[in-house]
Amino acid sequence: MKVAADSVPASREQFMRVALKMAERGMAAGGPPVGACIVRAGDVLTSSHNQVVSDLDITAHAEVVAIRQACAELRALALTGCTLYVSVEPCPMCLSACHYAGIDAIVYGASLSDMQAVTGTELCVSAEQLFAGHADAIRLHGGVLAEESRTLLAAWRTGRGAGRP
């Protein structure tokens, strides 16, 4: 998928819709509705959903899975020039993975506090706190299609999501 660079708000929504579609797939597979995609130069390199439940891997958050896939696709450890789109604001583990992968920017929908309201188990450490003192901190842009993301979280919480454990 290629998007013109001059349509930033439109492209943010377009790529967030890819992440939301992945979140729906994750929920259908029995996991939380968190989806992600990694974009570089207007192209989606990879897309994924949370696989913690299906893989029995506590680190298999959508963001980490997408980073693993993108690194394998590019045959590189550095994802410089990439933007991560994710349906829910990344947790501290995922923010750290993005930092170490060199991701330039993160665009997210629902906030981590929205996820906390559903799970009650999130480590609500902000990116500002985590990256304090780092001049090259990742740029974050939140609230893109947030209502759609919160709707998926609500459906998962109430058990309306297919395969909900």
Side-chain angles (χ1 to χ4, degrees), residues 6 19 38 55 61 63 85 88 91 95 102 104 111 121 126 128 130 135-136 142:
D6 61 351
I38 294 179
D55 291 1
H61 290 197
E63 302 95 314
Y85 289 81
V88 177
C91 72
L95 285 170
D104 292 346
S111 69
T121 61
S126 72
E128 293 78 18
L130 191 63
D136 60 345

Side-chain angles (χ1 to χ4, degrees), residues 40 45 69-76 78-79 82:
R40 185 171 72 176
L45 296 177
Q69 291 172 348
C71 288
E73 174 76 20
L74 296 173
R75 302 192 52 73
L79 298 179
C82 293

Side-chain angles (χ1 to χ4, degrees), residues 19 22-23 34-37 46-51 61-63 65-66 69:
M22 294 308 296
V34 182
C37 68
T46 187
S47 58
S48 63
H49 57 78
N50 184 298
Q51 297 175 18
H61 290 197
E63 302 95 314
V65 173
Q69 291 172 348

